Amino acid sequence: MSDELPAYAERVLEAAERIPPGRVMTYGDVAEWLGEGGPRQVGRVMALYGGAVPWWRVVRADGVPLPGSERRALEHYRTEGTPLRETPSGEPRLAMRRARWDGHDEGAGGDEAHT
């Protein structure tokens, strides 16, 4: 990470990089996992600095792909095997119950400190 990044932004981006392929965390999940900030702060960091990390793995709680980046996000989800579902109108959404990662499973460092 760049030395010019604010410390909080660096921690958010490091958290995004730890999310395994095929899994997601919400903006609020990331903030809770870090123990500071909130969904809006995480969203702001991702909007400003998230292009160099797997941004598609940090999502809205409703499972709707990021507006304006839906096509790119869906390509990543399909490539990684991220669980998806269709709405009654046929729109793709993340299957949040299956896709959501809690930060502790799948080789993410187990009991390691988060920050």
Side-chain angles (χ1 to χ4, degrees), residues 18-23 98-110:
R18 292 176 61 116
I19 302 169
R23 303 300 297 272
R98 294 180 305 162
R100 204 168 193 171
W101 185 61
D102 66 5
H104 297 292
D105 61 345
E106 299 175 31

Side-chain angles (χ1 to χ4, degrees), residues 42-113:
V42 171
R44 179 86 173 137
V45 168
M46 293 304 294
L48 292 174
Y49 308 110
V53 300
W55 53 267
W56 58 93
R57 296 181 193 153
V58 182
V59 301
R60 294 170 29 163
D62 62 6
V64 175
L66 185 65
S69 299
E70 298 95 340
R71 176 177 279 147
R72 288 180 33 227
L74 286 168
E75 288 173 12
H76 287 292
Y77 299 143
R78 289 182 176 124
T79 298
E80 294 183 354
T82 308
L84 297 170
R85 64 178 181 83
E86 281 191 15
T87 65
S89 64
E91 295 293 319
R93 296 288 183 267
L94 289 160
M96 291 301 290
R97 286 185 189 168
R98 294 180 305 162
R100 204 168 193 171
W101 185 61
D102 66 5
H104 297 292
D105 61 345
E106 299 175 31
D111 295 328
E112 255 177 53

